[in-house]
């Protein structure tokens, strides 16, 4: 992990083997706007709202710095600086040392290549090592078995089901809640880095 800036934390970058995690920049507006318009991402994440370019520009300014209750990283393909998606720790609870994590990779050409897995592992490591969290959780819809498989491979455990939690495409869908604890993560991933 590299930090840039004199005297204050202005940018955090986490470099992986194929990707780079970094804060959003104003130059990401078009790529992020395209990402937000990805209908498959919206379906898989349960997003049903459309955003204007101005709303996205305002949002990018908000997430381009570290906040107390969330950390938003853009996932960028190394070498060509192509925006692949985002990975976010939000709902950070500094009392109970927990947070929610979410991820999205845009475009079918980028899915299935391990970018999401790599980004999740780096973000979990950041959450446990830097933010000193104990528990990181997520929600995933039952119609997304590929994501469920990846989360289980990373070490997330199923904790429960929120029945009929999403109404989309004329049907109700369940959401599986999953979490990983700090010691579980370290057992699986500390020897890898």
């Amino acid at each position: 992990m590299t930090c840039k800036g004199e005297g204050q934390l202005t940018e955090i970058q986490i470099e992986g083997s194929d990707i780079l995690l970094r804060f959003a920049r104003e130059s990401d507006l078009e790529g992020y706007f395209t990402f937000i318009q990805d209908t498959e991402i919206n379906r898989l994440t349960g997003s049903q709202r459309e955003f204007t370019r101005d709303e996205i520009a305002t949002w990018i300014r908000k997430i381009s710095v570290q906040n107390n209750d969330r950390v938003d990283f853009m996932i960028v393909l190394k070498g060509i600086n192509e925006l692949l998606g985002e990975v976010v720790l939000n709902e950070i609870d500094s009392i109970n040392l927990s947070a929610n994590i979410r991820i999205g990779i845009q475009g079918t050409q980028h899915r299935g290549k391990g970018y999401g897995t790599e980004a999740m592992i780096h973000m979990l490591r950041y959450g446990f090592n830097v933010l000193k969290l104990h528990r990181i959780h997520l929600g995933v819809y039952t119609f997304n078995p590929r994501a469920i498989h990846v989360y289980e491979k990373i070490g997330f455990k199923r904790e429960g089901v929120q029945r009929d939690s999403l109404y989309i495409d004329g049907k109700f869908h369940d959401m599986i809640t999953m979490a990983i604890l700090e010691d579980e993560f370290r057992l699986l991933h500390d020897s890898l880095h």
Side-chain angles (χ1 to χ4, degrees):
M1 179 173 67
T2 59
C3 299
K4 297 182 178 179
E6 287 187 21
Q8 66 182 42
L9 187 62
T10 57
E11 183 167 341
I12 299 169
Q13 292 188 358
I14 301 171
E15 187 171 337
S17 58
D18 295 317
I19 61 168
L20 179 72
L21 303 183
R22 62 162 172 75
F23 287 145
R25 300 175 180 156
E26 286 189 33
S27 61
D28 291 326
L29 176 59
E30 290 307 314
Y32 195 70
F33 186 70
T34 300
F35 168 71
I36 293 297
Q37 304 298 323
D38 186 320
T39 54
E40 182 66 2
I41 285 287
N42 289 332
R43 187 181 78 77
L44 293 174
T45 61
S47 299
Q48 300 184 56
R49 182 171 181 260
E50 293 187 18
F51 296 91
T52 67
R53 193 171 259 100
D54 287 342
E55 287 173 317
I56 296 302
T58 299
W59 181 248
I60 285 176
R61 281 191 294 277
K62 177 182 176 173
I63 65 172
S64 64
V65 295
Q66 189 170 7
N67 296 290
N68 289 335
D69 64 341
R70 63 184 300 127
V71 178
D72 295 69
F73 283 133
M74 298 294 105
I75 305 168
V76 178
L77 192 57
K78 280 173 57 176
I80 59 173
N81 202 31
E82 180 182 357
L83 184 68
L84 301 177
E86 67 179 351
V87 60
V88 178
L89 283 171
N90 59 6
E91 302 171 15
I92 296 173
D93 181 340
S94 59
I95 295 170
N96 295 303
L97 305 178
S98 69
N100 178 72
I101 192 168
R102 65 179 173 81
I103 188 169
I105 302 288
Q106 76 172 332
T108 55
Q109 74 275 20
H110 299 304
R111 295 187 194 119
K113 295 188 175 180
Y115 301 141
T117 301
E118 185 179 354
M120 285 287 286
I121 290 171
H122 284 302
M123 186 58 116
L124 289 167
R125 186 173 283 118
Y126 181 83
F128 292 129
N129 291 348
V130 177
L131 301 180
K132 306 299 185 198
L133 298 174
H134 173 69
R135 178 180 186 276
I136 299 176
H137 60 274
L138 58 81
V140 59
Y141 297 106
T142 52
F143 56 75
N144 194 352
R146 181 174 46 190
I148 295 166
H149 172 75
V150 169
Y151 299 147
E152 289 177 334
K153 184 175 77 171
I154 290 171
F156 281 85
K157 307 251 188 277
R158 294 179 190 222
E159 293 187 327
V161 175
Q162 295 179 22
R163 298 175 303 142
D164 288 352
S165 108
L166 175 70
Y167 185 76
I168 194 169
D169 299 329
K171 295 181 190 174
F172 285 101
H173 300 277
D174 294 348
M175 183 173 70
I176 300 169
T177 56
M178 305 178 81
I180 187 168
L181 304 179
E182 178 185 7
D183 59 333
E184 295 168 338
F185 177 80
R186 294 195 191 293
L187 188 64
L188 291 169
H189 300 285
D190 265 358
S191 63
L192 301 177
H193 213 254

